[in-house]
Amino acid sequence: MTFVQIVEGKTDRWDEMDRLMDAWAEQTRGKRTATHSMVGRDRTDTGHWVEIVEFPSYEEAVKNSRLPETNRVFEQLVALCTEPPTFTDLDVVRDEQLNKETARRFFQEVAGSGGAPSAIGELCTTDCRSHDPAEGREVVGLEDFERAVEAYREALGLVFTVEGQVAEGDEVATSWRARGVHRGEFMEMAPTGKHVEFSGTTVQRFRDGKICESRWHWDALGLLRQIGAVGV
């Protein structure tokens, strides 16, 4: 079970704290078991800081705390604080990465043949942009994006399987596999009725919880070979 530790304290020596945290990161490179760390500064009480550290489990957090470097840095950290830091230990019981879920919904409810392109307005911003080398142009705006998605749906009747996702900051990268049937004109190629399968990765940027930019990287050449548009 994922484990999170919240550390809170007060200091008036921010620059020294920053250098200390940099030193700890360097000294524990390849040794620390923490997977994610964030430090926040209180907007209403600028001396108040909060650090949130994520570990794969409580046991891994214990290993991290037993590193000599961790103990040494903690002693220095206490010396920089105006009062002793406090600790809150949490077992994570819910972890909802909402941008990842929205990206998954896009493939299941919009791009896939069982969905509806009109749902794109719920998931994407009105000024969204899509970059796909296979399109030969940049798709700009909600209506343009909806038309582009519908063209693929009508031509290939695709069903998407999300194989993995990685989120960082305001971006989500989704690796996917698509299966379908060439049932409509595609890139000036008449329908062949052939079954197709190809894979790709789409990196989507989010703004206010909606997709505002999509960058597509997929095996267009492989698809064209399957429908006989290019030689093997």
Side-chain angles (χ1 to χ4, degrees):
M1 178 181 291
T2 301
F3 174 79
V4 169
Q5 188 170 69
I6 301 175
V7 188
E8 296 187 63
K10 290 193 174 184
T11 186
D12 53 10
R13 301 163 70 179
W14 278 104
D15 291 343
E16 292 175 78
M17 273 195 60
D18 270 342
R19 289 195 293 270
L20 182 60
M21 291 178 181
D22 287 341
W24 178 82
E26 181 61 33
Q27 292 168 15
T28 58
R29 191 184 304 275
K31 302 177 185 179
R32 61 182 178 270
T33 59
T35 55
H36 189 192
S37 174
M38 290 191 299
V39 177
R41 188 174 182 177
D42 195 329
R43 293 175 65 91
T44 58
D45 180 358
T46 56
H48 178 209
W49 58 269
V50 178
E51 182 179 18
I52 303 172
V53 190
E54 180 181 309
F55 300 89
S57 66
Y58 172 74
E59 291 73 20
E60 292 300 317
V62 171
K63 290 180 184 177
N64 196 78
S65 67
R66 289 175 177 168
L67 292 173
E69 296 87 353
T70 299
N71 186 58
R72 188 163 52 246
V73 167
F74 177 70
E75 290 177 354
Q76 294 173 283
L77 176 67
V78 171
L80 294 176
C81 292
T82 55
E83 58 185 57
T86 62
F87 294 81
T88 303
D89 294 341
L90 302 173
D91 289 323
V92 177
V93 295
R94 289 188 64 175
D95 182 4
E96 300 180 63
Q97 298 190 34
L98 302 182
N99 285 350
K100 288 172 67 174
E101 178 59 26
T102 299
R104 183 179 291 270
R105 286 184 59 199
F106 174 86
F107 289 97
Q108 295 173 341
E109 301 178 20
V110 176
S113 61
S118 57
I120 200 170
E122 180 185 346
L123 304 179
C124 302
T125 62
T126 56
D127 61 346
C128 61
R129 292 175 177 268
S130 178
H131 314 274
D132 182 350
E135 282 287 322
R137 67 182 183 89
E138 182 182 52
V139 175
V140 181
L142 201 56
E143 292 183 2
D144 198 13
F145 197 14
E146 184 175 332
R147 285 192 296 268
V149 169
E150 179 65 10
Y152 276 88
R153 284 165 45 91
E154 290 184 352
L156 301 170
L158 297 174
V159 175
F160 285 85
T161 300
V162 173
E163 298 190 324
Q165 290 182 297
V166 176
E168 183 172 348
D170 61 358
E171 292 191 331
V172 176
T174 302
S175 59
W176 48 262
R177 181 165 296 277
R179 298 175 178 84
V181 178
H182 183 208
R183 63 189 186 187
E185 182 175 315
F186 181 72
M187 295 186 180
E188 301 182 352
M189 180 77 175
T192 63
K194 293 182 176 180
H195 289 264
V196 297
E197 182 175 340
F198 55 97
S199 60
T201 299
T202 304
V203 180
Q204 292 172 311
R205 185 164 60 86
F206 286 75
R207 185 174 70 238
D208 298 331
K210 290 190 174 185
I211 299 165
C212 64
E213 184 177 17
S214 300
R215 300 190 299 278
W216 301 78
H217 311 276
W218 60 282
D219 186 13
L221 181 59
L223 171 59
L224 294 174
R225 284 174 173 162
Q226 290 176 64
I227 63 177
V230 297
V232 178

